[in-house]
């Protein structure tokens, strides 16, 4: 495995796992999908490809943060504000 | 001015959890239930951190009153960018009766002790929906208050606050030190990601007892009963307009 990138991949995995705890369909559902996604790409060697995959993973992390924020915002808006 | 901002954060039952009332109607089930930071408190922390990032203030201090677990909430605030935390330890019976009056006394004492320029709180907690702590603290300190803030800007030693009120938006200018309470549209709170949580472990959380601040926690309120709201009854379908009028007359509506 490309050594410097290995720690980045592991860090990405841990971050996504942490984010997945709040996933609406359940942390277990998320964790299974996360493992499947990472193991599917485990034989990739090309550093450029790995960097692209890491970027995609970070994109997913940002998407999750946006999802969580919107859920919370919409819930608060519905509960506390009359339109 | 000290350039220090105090932010009060509260540990509440997570907003997405379905609340269950205890069988003896004395309260709500909290054991084993997921807790997190009150959403309005998150917005308050975010505003304070934004002010620090804009270099308008120097230090953000996160404060929480409650049992040991309140430290997790302070850690979240530290992960969002607060510099240090203060955990006011309140446990057991005292915690059960802890309400806005007691918290505002604690906040007032801390604001004076820390020489705070601003005290930012969430407008209300999603568990008790009191919407009182900010206002009471301002009164105890005799500080001006900018409540339901949807926009905050510092201008020298004054603060311009745009408030969300029933009729629309109200803009006021108040002098510091002041108390602000955050409303939903003040900002978009950042997520406390794992790397930030790890970095926050190095930040300090001081432990304080209410007695050290000279605060008396006795409550003048007693919770008599907690019960679920009445179940919604099913709607009734009618065939014609005459039936509808008949049904409305029946139930005395018209």
């Amino acid at each position: 495995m490309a050594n410097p990138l290995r720690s980045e991949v592991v860090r990405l995995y841990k971050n996504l796992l942490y984010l997945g705890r709040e996933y609406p369909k359940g942390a277990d559902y998320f964790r299974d999908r996360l493992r499947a996604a990472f193991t599917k790409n485990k034989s990739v060697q090309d550093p450029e490809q790995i960097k692209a995959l890491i970027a995609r993973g970070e994109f997913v992390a940002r998407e999750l943060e946006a999802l969580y924020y919107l859920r919370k915002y919409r819930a608060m808006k519905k509960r506390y504000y009359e339109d | 001015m000290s350039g220090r901002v105090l932010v009060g954060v509260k540990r509440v039952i997570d907003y997405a959890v379905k609340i269950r009332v205890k069988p003896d109607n004395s309260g709500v089930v909290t054991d084993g239930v997921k807790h997190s930071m009150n959403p309005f408190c998150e917005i308050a922390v975010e505003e304070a951190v934004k002010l620090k990032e804009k270099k308008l203030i120097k230090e953000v201090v996160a404060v929480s009153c409650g049992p040991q677990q309140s430290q997790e909430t302070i850690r979240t605030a530290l992960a969002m960018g607060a510099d240090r935390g203060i955990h006011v330890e309140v446990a057991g019976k005292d915690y059960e009766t802890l309400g806005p009056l007691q918290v505002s006394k604690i906040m007032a004492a801390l604001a004076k002790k820390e020489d705070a320029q601003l005290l930012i709180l969430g407008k209300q907690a999603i568990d008790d929906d009191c919407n009182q702590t900010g206002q009471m603290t301002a009164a105890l300190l005799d500080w001006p208050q900018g409540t339901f803030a949807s926009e905050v800007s510092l201008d020298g030693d004054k603060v311009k606050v745009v408030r969300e009120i029933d009729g629309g938006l109200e803009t006021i200018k108040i002098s510091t030190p002041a108390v602000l309470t955050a409303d939903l549209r003040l900002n978009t709170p950042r997520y406390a990601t794992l790397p930030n949580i790890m970095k926050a472990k190095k930040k300090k959380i001081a432990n304080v007892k209410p007695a050290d601040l000279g605060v008396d926690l006795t409550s003048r309120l007693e919770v008599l009963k907690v019960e679920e709201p009445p179940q919604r009854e099913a709607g009734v379908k009618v065939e014609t307009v005459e039936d509808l009028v008949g049904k409305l007359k029946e139930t005395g509506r018209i």
Side-chain angles (χ1 to χ4, degrees):
Chain A
M1 260 260 216
N3 269 325
L5 287 176
R6 182 188 173 84
S7 59
E8 271 190 54
V9 170
V10 172
R11 197 181 314 141
L12 174 68
Y13 182 83
K14 283 187 191 165
N15 287 349
L16 283 169
L17 197 57
Y18 182 78
L19 274 168
R21 295 177 323 165
E22 243 188 276
Y23 196 67
K25 275 189 163 168
D28 297 334
Y29 175 98
F30 185 89
R31 192 196 54 220
D32 294 339
R33 296 251 165 341
L34 180 67
R35 302 198 78 183
F38 270 68
T39 44
K40 193 173 72 161
N41 290 317
K42 79 173 170 187
S43 54
V44 173
Q45 294 291 7
D46 173 29
E48 288 306 305
Q49 253 190 298
I50 297 179
K51 281 195 191 134
L53 288 169
I54 292 177
R56 200 204 302 171
E58 282 171 4
F59 173 75
V60 170
R62 299 293 88 76
E63 289 275 292
L64 281 170
E65 287 177 22
L67 167 73
Y68 295 155
Y69 170 69
L70 276 173
R71 268 180 87 218
K72 194 177 281 191
Y73 177 83
R74 285 180 183 147
M76 292 300 113
K77 186 157 180 276
K78 191 165 172 215
R79 282 181 209 177
Y80 290 104
Y81 301 87
E82 238 177 76
D83 275 335
Chain B
M1 277 267 102
S2 70
R4 188 173 296 134
V5 172
L6 241 60
V7 183
V9 296
K10 187 178 180 188
R11 177 178 180 260
V12 298
I13 296 181
D14 189 78
Y15 83 98
V17 166
K18 181 144 173 45
I19 307 291
R20 284 181 302 135
V21 176
K22 283 193 208 164
D24 61 358
N25 283 67
S26 63
V28 151
V29 177
T30 55
D31 285 337
V33 173
K34 181 173 182 215
H35 284 66
S36 51
M37 191 192 289
N38 181 38
F40 294 107
C41 296
E42 286 178 356
I43 299 174
V45 174
E46 176 67 25
E47 195 59 25
V49 173
K50 273 203 166 72
L51 287 173
K52 192 180 88 160
E53 285 172 349
K54 286 189 210 158
K55 305 239 195 301
L56 295 168
I57 55 136
K58 296 201 198 93
E59 194 188 21
V60 177
V61 183
V63 182
S64 191
C65 308
Q68 275 298 99
Q69 298 96 319
S70 292
Q71 290 197 7
E72 292 163 19
T73 315
I74 301 179
R75 292 243 172 259
T76 310
L78 294 173
M80 284 173 73
D83 298 295
R84 58 183 166 91
I86 300 177
H87 173 217
V88 182
E89 202 164 341
V90 179
K93 265 261 145 239
D94 281 337
Y95 182 61
E96 279 170 39
T97 56
L98 190 73
L101 181 59
Q102 293 75 24
V103 174
S104 55
K105 285 181 187 169
I106 294 173
M107 287 291 169
L110 276 172
K112 276 197 247 177
K113 184 162 170 249
E114 297 284 331
D115 190 27
Q117 182 179 342
L118 281 177
L119 173 62
I120 311 184
L121 304 171
K123 73 164 182 173
Q124 69 196 77
I126 59 171
D127 53 6
D128 55 23
D129 284 326
C130 284
N131 195 325
Q132 298 167 349
T133 310
Q135 291 87 338
M136 281 181 173
T137 315
L140 287 170
L141 287 165
D142 198 23
W143 284 7
Q145 52 187 275
T147 52
F148 309 103
S150 68
E151 211 183 292
V152 169
S153 44
L154 294 189
D155 183 12
D157 63 343
K158 297 237 189 285
V159 185
K160 194 172 91 165
V161 182
V162 179
R163 306 177 58 227
E164 266 193 54
I165 57 175
D166 286 346
L169 297 173
E170 179 193 52
T171 309
I172 60 171
K173 200 177 235 183
I174 54 179
S175 51
T176 52
V179 175
L180 305 175
T181 68
D183 207 326
L184 188 61
R185 285 164 268 260
L186 180 57
N187 58 49
T188 307
R190 64 198 67 189
Y191 199 84
T193 54
L194 192 57
N196 290 335
I197 301 235
M198 288 293 141
K199 272 185 249 171
K201 287 198 173 170
K202 297 193 197 114
K203 300 182 186 174
K204 290 209 185 333
I205 299 182
N207 203 304
V208 175
K209 302 231 173 18
D212 299 342
L213 300 166
V215 170
D216 168 31
L217 289 179
T218 42
S219 174
R220 298 152 202 205
L221 298 174
E222 185 195 336
V223 174
L224 296 174
K225 187 168 57 162
V226 175
E227 47 186 19
E228 288 197 15
Q231 297 288 359
R232 271 192 74 180
E233 281 167 23
V236 178
K237 272 191 170 160
V238 293
E239 294 295 308
T240 69
V241 177
E242 283 81 22
D243 284 351
L244 176 61
V245 174
K247 275 251 182 276
L248 286 171
K249 283 200 175 139
E250 232 174 83
T251 52
R253 294 284 189 183
I254 52 170

